[in-house]
Amino acid sequence: MKSLFRLLVVFLLSAQVAMAQKAVTGVVSDSDGIPLPGATVLVQGTTTGVTTDFDGNFSINVSEGQSLEFSFVGYETAVVTVGAGNVINITLSLGTQLEEVIVTSLGITREKRALGYAVSEVDESQIEQRASGDVARVLAGKASGVQVTNQGGISGSGTSVMIRGMSTFSSSNQPLFVVDGVPFQSETNSMGSFTSGNNGSSRFLDLDPNNIESVNVLKGLAASTLYGSQGRNGVILITTKSGTTSSGAKAAKNEITVNSSYFVNELAMKPDYQNQYGNGFNQNFGWYYSNWGPSFDKEGPAGWGKQSQINGTVSGQPGYLKHPYNSNLNARFLARDLLPLLGLSMDSLWEWKPYDSVGDLFQPGDIINTNINFRGQSDDGKVSYNVNYGNLDDKGFTPGNTLRRNTLSIGGRAVLSNKFTVSGTMNYTNTMFKTPPIAAAYSSGSSDSSLYGNVFYTPRSVGIGQLPYAHPITGASIYYRSSNGIQHPLWTVNNTGDAQDVQRVYGGAAVQYDISDNLNVKYRYGYDIYSEDNTSYQNKGGQDGSLETQSGFYEKWNNTSTQIDHNFSINGDFELDSDWGLTFNVGATSNASTYDRNGVRSTGQNVFNVLRHYNFNSQEEIEYASRKNVLGVYGQAALDYQNYLYFTLATRTDWVSNLSEENRSITYPSASVSFVPTSILDFGNLPIDFLKVRASYGTSATYPGGYPIASVLNLDTKDFRVDGTDVITNTTGSSLGNTGLKPELLAELEFGVEANMFENRLTAEISYFNRNTTDLIITQPLDPSTGYTSTSTNIGEINATGWEIDLGLDWLRGENFNWNTSVNYTTSQAITEDLGQDTDQIVYAGFSTLGNVAIPGLPLTSFIGSSVRRNDAGQPLIDASGSYQGNYDTNYKTNKYSLIGDSNPDFIANLSNTITYGNFSFNFLFNATIGGDMYSNFIMTLLGRGQTTDTVDRELPYILPGVLADGSPNVIQIDNATTYFGNLIVGPSELRVWDASVLRLSEVSLTYDVPSKWLDKTPFGAASISAQGFNLWYDAYNTPEGINYDPNIAGLGVGNGSGFEYFNGVSARKYGVSVKLTF
Amino acid sequence: MKKLNKLSVLALTSLFILSSCETTELDLTSNPNALSPENASVDLFINNVQEDFANFVNSMGDVGARLTRIAQMSGDRMYQDAYSPSSFSGVWSSAYQGMMEDLRVMNGIAAENGLTYHIGMGQVMQAYILMTLVDYFGDVPYTEALLGAENLNPAADSGQSVYNSALGLLDSAISNFSGGGPAPQYDMYYGGNADGWIKAANSIKKRAYLNMGDFGSYSAITNYIKTNADDFQFQWGTNAINPDVRHPIYRYNYTNTGAGDYQSNWMMNRMMVGRNGQRDPRIYYQYYRQVGLTPGTDGPVDEISLECSLPGYYQPPHIIAYGLYCYLTEGYWGRDHGNDEGIPPDGFKRTLMGVYPAGGAFDDGSFVSKGAGDGLGGNGITPVVLSSWMHFMDAEVAASGGSGDVTTSTLAGIENSLNKVDDIAGAPAMAQADIDSYLANFAIDWGAASTLDAKLEMWAEEFWVTQRGNGIDAYNSYRRNGYPKNLQPTLEPNPGPFPVSMWYPANYAATNSNVTQKSDVTGRVFWNTSGPTVD
C-alpha cells in the first residue's frame, strides 16, 4: 500500500515534458457537412488526444510531421499528416463496420463485433448529474435485461438489482459489481429483518454516479466465465473516471470539471384521501383505526347531526367532539391532572373536519450534489491522473431521513520506459444514512415501529400535528385512539432512528510487464474494505412491537467487511497468419472475504432519551462472523478469421472454502461464436450496413453461503430465569448438516443478432437466453419428526428463458436538429422444474404461509397465501355473515387456490428519446412494466380503513359475488365497512393482491450547452445547464385509482423475495437544476 | 534473459502475495457462530426441554380450551378453519426437533454418566408429548422418527402403538427415578423430588387408560397425584425482558394497550351463575374486570367499545335462542364462541385473565385498568396434571362403570381446585366459609339433579372450570363423553362439524412423502372411534 501512495505522489508531481509543438485547429464533419461532436483526434503513435466539441471543433498541440488520427463511432478512421498549416478540416465517411471496443470480463477489451454474447453499455451522460446518488437506480431502464427494484422512497434505502431474473432461490441473485477491475462488495446489510427494520443501504451506494465513466453490463454466463461463480448473476462492470486514465484518447491535457446540482425531493404522489367521512365504523363515530365514521356534513343518514359525540350532546358544541385526550383518560395512559401540561383541559374540544395529516408530515426535502473532477496527463500521454471529489447531501421527504456522502477518488497510470506499466486507484467514501424505521406494517400497527405504517391511514378527522405526541412526564407516546393503541407518528420521528455510517476504502493497483508487443503479464491487487457502523434505537414509551421494544432499546454494531482480490494473468495477442488472429489470457486468482459483525443490543431504558448502553437494564451480544476464500484458475482463447468469424473459448476452475474437500472444486467452460456476414457477403441493395449473429454457451456454479455442511448446537444463556438466575440451555441445531453438498450448476445458451440498417440510422440487438440451474441447492424443509427442520441438499432444477431487445433509431440527423429514439425490452421467466420427490413446495421468502414459493411447474416468482374458499365448481363461498370464507391451507397440492400471485412482469420496456436542437437537448425516459402481481398492505389498509376516494361511495349495501353454503347465489347484503374491512383486512390474503403494471415517466431533462464562442473570454472550456425531473409521473393503472400506488417496491428487503409490499409503497419525485462547467 | 528475470520476479512476487494472506486456506467449513454438537451438556438440555415442555402444554392446551369454550375461539367462524395446518407447525417442530431430538441426544450422554433422573424426566415429558400428539392428530411418527438423514420421511405409527410406547416410557421413567441418579441443577417441576415424578408418570398412565376405556388398568394404579402438593405444573416468573419468563397467557393479556384477548362469555357466565345461587368464588381469581359495568346492560350504551350494545343491533337467532349473546353484566366483558370480528379499542375495558393460573391481577372490585407488570406480573402456573383433574377422572371412571364413587370424587375435585386457587401467594385468601358453602351449594344442586346425565353435565362444567390454563384434558374429555352438552353454539349458524381431530401440521403434511393431509377434521383418533357427537 505504501508503494502505491508513493507512486501516486510521483506522477501527480511529475514535470511535464515540453516539445516543439504548435496548435492545430479544425472541424470534423460528416459527408453531409454536419459537424461531429465527440469525435476523437489522436496524435498517432501516442496516447495524446482530444475530442471535438459540440460544433465539431478541435484544437490540439502537435509537432509538424506527426500524424493525426480522426475517428468516430460508425465512421471510417482518417489519418492526416500535419504539415505547415495550422488548420485541418476533415470529412469522415460512414464506415462499413463498427470498430467499437468494449471492456469485457477482467478488463479485457475486445471489439464488440467479436463478442459472442450480449453486453450492454451505459455511458457517462446517462449516469451523471442525476438526482439519485444510487448508481443502480440511475441505471434503471438504461439497459435491457436489468431489473431494478427500490425499497421505497427513503433516500439511501436499499436497491435490488437482478440481471436476467432469478436462477436460484438458495443464494443471492444480485449481480457482481466490479469497479475498475476489482470486485466490489455490493450487499445490503439490513438493520433487522423486513418485519423489524427494513432499513439499510445497498453498498453500491458508496459509489458516486458522477465519478463513473461508463458501465458495462455482462448479462450471460459466457460473458462472465472468467469471474467464476461470483459472476453467475451477471456482472456490472463500472469504470470510474479515476480508472479510465489509461484511455489517453479521452483525457484532455488538463481539465477540471465541476458538476453541481440542486433537486427538490418530494413524496411523488400522495393518496387521494376522501374528505367526506371521518373516524368511526358503520357511520358511527369512534376513536378507532378506521375511517368508516359519520359524514363531515351535518345532515343526511350518515351526518354528524345524528351522533351524540359530535352534535353537541356530549361536547356542548355542535360540530365538535371532546378532545380525544380527555375522552380517553385512563390511569395507564394519561391522568386527568396531566392535561394542563399538554395545554388541554377537560373542556378541550376537537373540531369534526378533515385534516391533512399526511400532507403536513411529508415535507419536500432537497438534494445538493457537487462533483469536482481533475484529470490530465503528461504531454507524451504516458503519465496520467484523475482526482475526483463528490459530495451529496440528500434530505428525504420523510422527516428524519438524510443521506450524506463524501467520496474522494484518485487514479493514475504510468507507462514506464522499462516496459512496465503501473496503474492504481484509491477511493475513499463516507456514507451516512439516517431514517426513522419503516418496518413491515399492517392495517393496525406494525410488528415494530413503522412511521409509514402509523401515518398513512390516519383517519381524516384526526390531525397529527394538532395532537401532542409525548406524555408530559414519561415521554411515552400518546395518541388519539382509545386505549392508546397506535404509536404517534411524530413520536416515532422524534424518538426512533436507524443510522448507518460507513467508512470505506477500495481500489487496486496493477503492474503490467510487456514481454513483447504481443505478450504481457499482469498482476493486479484489489482491495475493498468497509466499516459500517449501525445504530438503531428507540426510547422507552413506544406502543408498537413487543414489550422489549416498548421498553426502549439501543443497538450499536459494526460490520467490517473485507475483500482482497489477487489476479495474475498472462495475455497474448498474435496474428497467426493473414487470416487468423489469436488472443489469449491465462490466469490465476484468489478472492478472500471476511465479514465480522460485533456489537451490543441493550434493552430496558432507564432515563428517557439517554442513549448510552449504561442507561439500559440488559445487554445482549450482536455477533456474526464469516470467512470465505475462492481460488480460481482461468483461461480464454479468442480466434478470429478474416474479421468476420470469431470464436472464444473460456474456462475457469474454482475452489471454494465452505464445502467438503471432495465437493469444493468445479470447472465451468464456455464457448461463443460471432459471425459478421456483412464483412464477406454482398447484401446488394438491402439497406443493411452491419449484421452480426452470435451464439454462446456458458456455465457457472452457485456456491452456498455461510456454513452449510456444519452441524451445530445452540446455546442460550438467557433462555429462562429461576429465582433470579438466568438458566442456560442447549438445543440441537435445526438444520441437518450435509457434507455431501455440492455447488449448483448453471448452464446457459444464448443467441443474438445485431444489425445496423439505413446508414446506421437503425440499430437493433436481439438476444435470447435459456438457462438451466441443476443440482439446485435447496434448503429442503424436513418433517421435524426426522429430528431436523431443514437440510441443504442438491435436488431440483430451475429453467429460465428470456428475450432482450434493444433498438435505436435516428429519426433526424441534421446540422441543428437531431432526434434519436431508443427502446429496450426485456422479458424473462424462471420456472421451477423439479424439487425432488419429497418436496411439494418450498417457501423461500416472506412468511411460511404468505411468501414466495417454488412449486414444480410454476414460475419461481409465484407466491402463496390464504385464499377464498371455493366449491367444486370454483365459485367463491360466502359465509352466513355475507363475507368470503377463507381457506387457510397454503399447500398448493391440496389447495390450488393458495397460489395467489406471480410477481414476474410480462415484460419491461423502456423508451428513451433525445432531441437536440441547436444547443438545446431534450431527453426523456419512459418505462412500462406490464404484468406481475403485488401483495399490498398499503392498498389493503387504505381501502379497508375507508381512507381514499375509492371508498367514498359507501352508503348503499354491497353483495359479494359468490355462492352460499347451499350453492345458491349470495344474496346477503353487507355494509361498506364489512365489505372492505371485513374482507380486505381480515379476509384471506388472496384479496390483497393487485396487478402491478405501471407506466412511468422516469426521467426528463432539458439541457442547454452554452455556445463555445460565448465562453472564449471566460476560463470555461464548456458549460451546460440542465433542468431535470425524475419520476415525475406514474400510473399503476390496475390498482385502485385513489391510492396512487407505486408498485416498484421490494417490500421483503433486498433478497429473493418479490411481489410483497408491507406498507412502504411510496416513491420520491425529484426535480431540479444541474450545472456542468469545464475549465 | 533480462526479460525472463523480470518476469520471474513478477510471477514470484504475485505468488507470494497470493499465498501469504491466508487467502488460499480452503478448509473453512466449521461454523464459528454456534457450538458444535460435542459441546453438549445434559443439564443444559434438560433445562431447555423443561421450558419447551411448558410452552408445548400451553399451546396445545390453548387449542383445546378455545374449542371447548373454556377460552374464547376467534380464529374463524368455520370450525375447520379455526385452526389451520400451519397453526400447528410450531408445536410439531417443538415436539420433535426441539424436545424429542434434544432428549435423544441427551439420553446418550446421560446414560454414560448414570444420570437416570434426567432420563426419567425426559421420559415423562416425552410420553405426555406423544400422547398429546396422538390425541390431537391421530397417527404420528415414532419408531421411524428422529433418524436424521437415514429416514427423511418417517412413516406414522398407529395411535394405539404410540400410546403403548408412551406407556412403556412411563414405566421406564418410574424405574429410572428409582435408579438413584442425581437430580439436575434445575428441576422446574418437582424440585428434585423423584416421588413427585413417579406420581406424575402414574397419573399420565391413568389418563391414557381412561382415554382407552381400560378402567381396570386405570384403577390398578394407586400412587398418583391426589393432593395439590403433588401437582404436575410449571412455575413461570415475572421477568419480562431478556428473557421473558412470564406466563404465556399473561404476556398477551397484560399489555401496554390493555387486554390482548377476550375471555369466553360461556365460561364467565358459568362461574357467575355458580351453584344454588352462589357465585363461584374462583371467579375473582380467574378473571379480572377492568370496569364494573357493561354497556347495553347495566351500563350506558357505548357503540365505540361494544357495538352489539346498540339497541336494534342484529342478533343471530340461533344464539339468541341459546340465551347467551354478546355480553354479560357487571363488566364481565368477553366474547361469544367463534366471534372473529375486528377489535375496537376496548383493551382497557374487557375482562382480563386473573391471578389464576396466569399470574395476573386479583379482582378486588376496584375496576382499575391493568397493563404489563400489573397483578402478579405473570408469575403463574401452567398445569400439566392436577390432583383435582385426577379426582374428576376418577368420577368419570366411576360413572362409566368402573370402580369408585362419582359424587365423592367430583366433590374432591372441586375442593382441591378451590383450595389450589385459594393458596395462590400474592392474592387474598378465599374465605373458608365461601369454599365450604360452594361445596355445599354444589351438593344441593347435585342432589337435585335427578339423572346421571344431569349430574355429568355439572361434573363436566366443574371439571372445565379447573382446566383454565390447559384444556388438553377438557378436549379429550369432551370427545370421550360429550359433556357438557349445553355449550354455547358458535356465532356462525353453520360452522361445519366440530373438529374431533386436528389437521396434520403443515410442516408435517407438506414435507413428509409418507403422509397426506386430511380432507377434513372429522376423523377420530384411535381411542375415540365410537365417541359421542359433539359440537
Side-chain angles (χ1 to χ4, degrees), chain A residues 112-115 674-677 690-694 752-754:
Chain A
K112 188 164 195 256
R113 57 194 276 127
L115 298 181
S674 164
F675 170 53
V676 184
F690 173 77
L691 181 66
K692 163 180 158 187
V693 290
R694 54 179 164 78
V753 179
E754 295 166 29

Side-chain angles (χ1 to χ4, degrees), chain A residues 214 236 317 321 368 394 400 429 469 579 617 668 769:
Chain A
S214 68
I236 295 187
Q317 191 171 343
L321 290 149
I368 300 167
D394 183 344
T429 302
Y469 62 82
D579 289 338
N617 293 337
Y668 10 90
F769 71 90

Side-chain angles (χ1 to χ4, degrees), chain A residues 126-388:
Chain A
Q126 292 175 274
I127 301 170
E128 65 181 7
Q129 291 179 286
R130 293 322 202 252
S132 175
D134 179 325
V135 61
R137 293 192 190 182
V138 172
L139 279 177
K142 287 164 192 161
S144 62
V146 181
Q147 198 174 348
V148 178
T149 315
N150 304 338
Q151 244 185 286
I154 293 276
S155 290
S157 58
T159 307
S160 166
V161 186
M162 278 195 211
I163 299 174
R164 291 190 170 168
M166 291 174 75
S167 61
T168 179
F169 57 80
S170 67
S171 299
S172 168
N173 283 287
Q174 303 287 310
L176 172 68
F177 278 70
V178 174
V179 177
D180 297 331
V182 176
F184 183 83
Q185 302 176 91
S186 55
E187 65 272 31
T188 308
N189 300 314
S190 64
M191 310 180 75
S193 67
F194 77 95
T195 56
S196 64
N198 217 12
N199 285 320
S201 306
S202 301
R203 286 272 62 91
F204 42 74
L205 187 63
D206 300 331
L207 289 167
D208 183 355
N210 290 309
N211 186 30
I212 289 176
E213 184 80 29
S214 68
V215 176
N216 285 2
V217 181
L218 309 182
K219 299 171 192 171
L221 297 182
S224 64
T225 305
L226 298 189
Y227 285 107
S229 165
Q230 285 184 304
R232 69 186 185 273
N233 298 323
V235 183
I236 295 187
L237 281 179
I238 291 174
T239 310
T240 66
K241 287 175 180 163
S242 306
T244 41
T245 46
S246 58
S247 80
K250 247 202 138 170
K253 198 168 140 194
N254 278 299
E255 189 179 83
I256 303 172
T257 306
V258 178
N259 249 318
S260 194
S261 319
Y262 175 85
F263 296 100
V264 174
N265 184 359
E266 66 181 20
L267 176 61
M269 284 197 230
K270 206 175 71 170
D272 299 332
Y273 290 105
Q274 53 85 13
N275 285 320
Q276 187 61 49
Y277 301 93
N279 197 189
F281 214 77
N282 290 335
Q283 279 77 246
N284 289 314
F285 172 76
W287 293 110
Y288 300 156
Y289 292 112
S290 275
N291 199 64
W292 297 109
S295 169
F296 292 115
D297 297 332
K298 185 179 181 185
E299 307 302 332
W304 58 259
K306 295 191 167 50
Q307 299 286 314
S308 62
Q309 302 266 358
I310 315 174
N311 64 13
T313 314
V314 174
S315 66
Q317 191 171 343
Y320 284 79
L321 290 149
K322 292 196 79 167
H323 194 281
Y325 290 174
N326 65 35
S327 58
N328 291 334
L329 289 176
N330 184 297
R332 295 199 57 88
F333 170 20
L334 192 62
R336 171 185 293 232
D337 55 353
L338 296 177
L339 284 178
L341 296 177
L342 296 169
L344 298 169
S345 72
M346 287 304 289
D347 301 324
S348 296
L349 299 178
W350 184 261
E351 190 178 357
W352 180 251
K353 63 167 191 183
Y355 297 78
D356 185 16
S357 289
V358 171
D360 291 344
L361 188 74
F362 294 105
Q363 295 294 329
D366 47 27
I367 302 169
I368 300 167
N369 201 340
T370 308
N371 187 282
I372 306 170
N373 191 70
F374 304 85
R375 74 190 331 174
Q377 62 182 1
S378 61
D379 285 345
D380 64 359
K382 288 191 169 172
V383 179
S384 53
Y385 73 93
N386 187 295
V387 178
N388 190 290

